[in-house]
Amino acid sequence: MLKVTRAKHPSVPLAQADLNDRLPVRRRSFDAVLCALVGEHLSNLRLLFREIRDGLVRGGRFVFSVFHPEMAARHRGELRAGWRRVRLGALRHTVVDYLNLIDGAGFRNIEVHEFRGDDVLVEQVPWASKYLGRPLLLAVEARTS
């Protein structure tokens, strides 16, 4: 992803980091941070959320999204490889876990958005009918104070 981004946007500074460790960013240097679809793979969310908060300017915006924990629990993070099942190593966090950790990191004005499978999804992706009415995505938006 970094290689593709560098080719398309050579003037944008990029960094590779382990999201379970301290981030290589200056404090109070970002207006906004997007963290998308990685939460279930992280073991140190408390540190990550604090690091993100510290990297944002006052009033900075944080948007965090994950596959909805209810959906993740149903699918248990497995793939079939021939006759074998392969575990993907996803960690289980609840909606309350995410919200408590984001709040505990010092974010304010926390808004929760839960997206469910709907008729529009099924119209565009017919095989997704099995998700009709089920929670698919959790998105949380918050601000620094």
Side-chain angles (χ1 to χ4, degrees):
M1 285 191 254
L2 291 173
K3 185 177 179 181
V4 170
T5 302
R6 279 191 186 103
K8 288 184 177 184
H9 306 283
S11 63
V12 174
L14 301 172
Q16 183 173 343
D18 180 344
L19 296 180
N20 284 310
D21 205 347
R22 301 215 35 173
L23 298 178
V25 298
R26 287 189 309 250
R27 300 296 178 232
R28 313 256 182 267
S29 55
F30 297 100
D31 296 320
V33 170
L34 169 65
C35 186
L37 303 177
V38 297
E40 61 272 4
H41 302 291
L42 301 176
S43 60
N44 199 348
L45 288 168
R46 183 180 316 275
L47 175 63
L48 175 65
F49 294 154
R50 268 188 273 154
E51 287 288 300
I52 289 171
R53 190 232 26 236
D54 290 348
L56 285 164
V57 298
R58 186 178 182 95
R61 181 179 180 204
F62 175 43
V63 177
F64 175 78
S65 70
V66 290
F67 289 112
H68 198 286
E70 287 181 35
M71 184 184 83
R74 268 197 306 275
H75 292 282
R76 299 178 188 221
E78 290 182 349
L79 287 177
R80 288 191 179 264
W83 55 271
R84 289 184 14 219
R85 287 185 182 183
V86 178
R87 275 211 162 288
L88 299 177
L91 299 172
R92 290 192 182 170
H93 304 289
T94 66
V95 173
V96 172
D97 292 338
Y98 290 123
L99 296 178
N100 284 341
L101 289 167
I102 290 170
D103 180 66
F107 285 97
R108 300 296 169 250
N109 303 322
I110 298 169
E111 295 181 29
V112 179
H113 309 278
E114 295 180 281
F115 298 92
R116 295 178 175 273
D118 60 15
D119 293 330
V120 174
L121 174 65
V122 173
E123 184 177 307
Q124 294 175 357
V125 185
W127 61 263
S129 61
K130 63 185 174 183
Y131 299 115
L132 192 60
R134 292 184 173 174
L136 296 177
L137 183 73
L138 171 70
V140 179
E141 182 178 356
R143 298 266 179 185
T144 57
S145 49

